[in-house]
Amino acid sequence: MQAGGIDSAAMSETPSSGSEDSECEQGPDPDDVALTEEWARELLADAGVVGANEVRVESRAGVTGALSRVLAVTVRYECSGEQKSLPVVVKLPPRDPFGRLFVAEAQFDTREILFYTELAPALNKLAENALGPGTGLPVPKYIKAKLPDEIGGDSELVLEDVTAVGYEAADFAEGLTEERARAALYAAARFHALSLALREREGPLDQRFDFLFPCERAAAGYLRLVRRGLPQLEAFLRGRSDCIEEAAAVSELSARAPSLLGTLLRPDEPAPLAHADFWSGNLLFREINGVSECIALDWQMVSLGKPMDDVALLLLSSLTPEMRRSIGDSLIEDYGERLEAECARLNASESGSLVRRGLKPDWPRAALRALLLCAGSVDVALGDPRAERRLLEAVRDLHAQGILALKPVSDT
């Protein structure tokens, strides 16, 4: 099971962690961004490197997906008599005209660039002022970007390649370890707490950051997920003699889901930010002295939302059924404690406590939203026994909890 972005193959900024829907490519196409010496020198200047000599570019590999092309690039240079290197990741729009237009109309590339150039700096400044240096968002370092100058035009986002400092992708089919699951939720808690604190200081965040993914556009994307993914999920369940009830419940959900979208996507006050595609394929991990650390990638869908949306998607998409059932409640509780503690440190205690109290009540809605995201890319899960089982057990559990029968708020 893969939780993807709206009509997308979920991807990471690192080519090593691309999804099964991606195509690997060795080096850039001649028509791609010109990875010239001049480009490299500009990049080094943006990275704060002064006096670089013998500059050359090595493109190591790439991944192509529905929302972007990702190149792993190393800029090598000489400075003060030493040979040095700058490993980076370059994100570009899709090649094909339809994919490029889809990305442009939904502003996926623009939104991610503005996340790194406007939103992340504001959150990082708040963190450093309140908590000290090095306390900002767990995201790759931004180096350089170019916004498209027209609809469907070229864009470019250059970030540090964090795999060079030990971060790696998790094995999606295997599922996250408990330590990595907690590290991911702690990273989410930092992001959610910072957004709550910024909202307390400056008011509704969508007024300052008008590029945030609007609910109306998200609803249209979810409707496409429903129409494409749920019939596939129903067919998969009907192919199993022990899933007849679940298949019928998914069939009823397919008919009801369009009217559910308002309930599933409506943020509550205080409305923090949500990553909105928070699953293991958009996360990287490393272990330092036995402690797991997590960095979050792919911010094309960042929006006003509910923290439980990110938590539920991670639990349902990226944990084995056994782990989710045995420690899922504990993970939610730990996340809530961390969120509340982070908010207290940021002088946003009231918002943190309010959001924490709403986590458990919000589980049914958030879990159903997560299932729709997973169903939207159900074809990725099919064929891998571990991923198929995870999807199957998630449907069974949500059916047993009555979540598949959830109705729009206006109808209850």
Side-chain angles (χ1 to χ4, degrees):
M1 177 172 56
Q2 176 185 13
I6 291 177
D7 264 9
S8 75
M11 294 182 58
S12 302
E13 273 97 352
T14 53
S16 62
S17 54
S19 74
E20 293 92 333
D21 279 355
S22 306
E23 297 177 358
C24 292
E25 52 186 31
Q26 297 301 316
D29 186 278
D31 295 328
D32 271 340
V33 61
L35 303 181
T36 62
E37 180 181 340
E38 180 182 3
W39 175 88
R41 288 186 178 278
E42 291 179 358
L43 188 68
L44 290 172
D46 289 333
V49 177
V50 179
N53 299 307
E54 300 178 14
V55 177
R56 64 185 189 278
V57 181
E58 297 177 1
S59 182
R60 294 181 275 116
V63 173
T64 298
L67 291 188
S68 60
R69 288 170 292 137
V70 186
L71 303 177
V73 175
T74 298
V75 176
R76 301 194 183 278
Y77 61 99
E78 181 272 333
C79 188
S80 301
E82 295 184 32
Q83 296 297 318
K84 299 184 178 182
S85 63
L86 176 65
V88 298
V89 166
V90 183
K91 297 193 74 172
L92 306 168
R95 279 198 187 91
D96 69 280
F98 176 80
R100 182 179 284 256
L101 182 61
F102 172 70
V103 167
E105 288 181 339
Q107 295 188 303
F108 285 123
D109 55 346
T110 296
R111 185 174 302 106
E112 185 165 36
I113 289 172
L114 292 176
F115 166 81
Y116 278 103
T117 58
E118 295 185 11
L119 180 51
L123 295 173
N124 287 335
K125 181 179 179 181
L126 171 62
E128 293 191 0
N129 287 342
L131 307 177
T135 57
L137 292 175
V139 300
K141 180 182 177 181
Y142 156 78
I143 299 176
K144 179 183 178 184
K146 173 184 176 296
L147 287 165
D149 53 13
E150 60 182 358
I151 295 178
D154 290 333
S155 64
E156 179 185 348
L157 175 62
V158 184
L159 305 167
E160 67 170 329
D161 184 351
V162 294
T163 64
V165 290
Y167 283 93
E168 63 180 10
D171 184 337
F172 168 68
E174 186 70 24
L176 294 180
T177 65
E178 178 178 345
E179 292 75 17
R180 287 187 168 186
R182 293 188 190 278
L185 291 175
Y186 291 166
R190 170 61 56 87
F191 169 60
H192 296 150
L194 285 171
S195 69
L196 284 166
L198 187 63
R199 187 200 178 284
E200 283 201 2
R201 287 160 174 76
E202 301 192 6
L205 297 179
D206 55 344
Q207 293 182 10
R208 175 177 173 184
F209 305 103
D210 59 1
F211 57 86
L212 294 172
F213 202 36
C215 291
E216 299 78 16
R217 191 179 295 276
Y222 272 75
L223 185 57
R224 296 174 70 177
L225 283 176
V226 167
R227 290 173 172 166
R228 183 187 70 180
L230 286 183
Q232 288 181 280
L233 177 57
E234 180 185 351
F236 166 66
L237 295 171
R238 290 195 183 282
R240 301 178 57 97
S241 60
D242 58 344
C243 295
I244 302 303
E245 286 188 13
E246 289 82 357
V250 168
S251 178
E252 294 175 2
L253 176 62
S254 295
R256 194 173 65 256
S259 64
L260 269 171
L261 291 176
T263 297
L264 298 179
L265 301 176
R266 185 184 305 123
D268 288 337
E269 290 297 334
L273 298 173
H275 180 283
D277 199 13
F278 198 74
W279 71 292
S280 62
N282 287 337
L283 306 172
L284 296 178
F285 300 89
R286 70 177 178 182
E287 278 64 44
I288 301 293
N289 297 324
V291 177
S292 291
E293 298 178 353
C294 176
I295 274 184
L297 313 171
D298 286 356
W299 293 87
Q300 297 101 325
M301 293 170 59
V302 62
S303 58
L304 294 182
K306 299 184 180 183
M308 196 59 175
D309 289 343
D310 289 341
V311 175
L313 182 57
L314 185 79
L315 298 187
L316 285 169
S317 70
S318 305
L319 271 61
T320 65
E322 293 79 11
M323 181 178 293
R324 174 171 52 79
R325 290 164 179 159
S326 64
I327 65 168
D329 287 345
S330 171
L331 290 173
I332 294 172
E333 184 64 25
D334 282 358
Y335 162 81
E337 289 181 0
R338 178 60 67 97
L339 173 70
E340 197 167 25
E342 293 275 324
C343 284
R345 296 173 67 202
L346 293 164
N347 297 315
S349 297
E350 184 176 350
S351 293
S353 297
L354 184 61
V355 170
R356 182 183 180 184
R357 288 196 299 271
L359 291 176
K360 291 291 182 68
D362 200 36
W363 166 257
R365 184 207 59 80
L368 187 56
R369 175 192 174 277
L371 181 64
L372 290 183
L373 268 176
C374 296
S377 52
V378 64
D379 50 321
V380 177
L382 302 183
D384 186 306
R386 294 172 296 178
E388 284 185 357
R389 179 173 175 274
R390 193 181 312 171
L391 175 62
L392 172 62
E393 296 302 325
V395 173
R396 280 177 169 163
D397 288 349
L398 297 189
H399 177 57
Q401 296 170 26
I403 290 175
L404 298 188
L406 186 70
K407 293 182 173 60
V409 168
S410 58
D411 292 347
T412 58

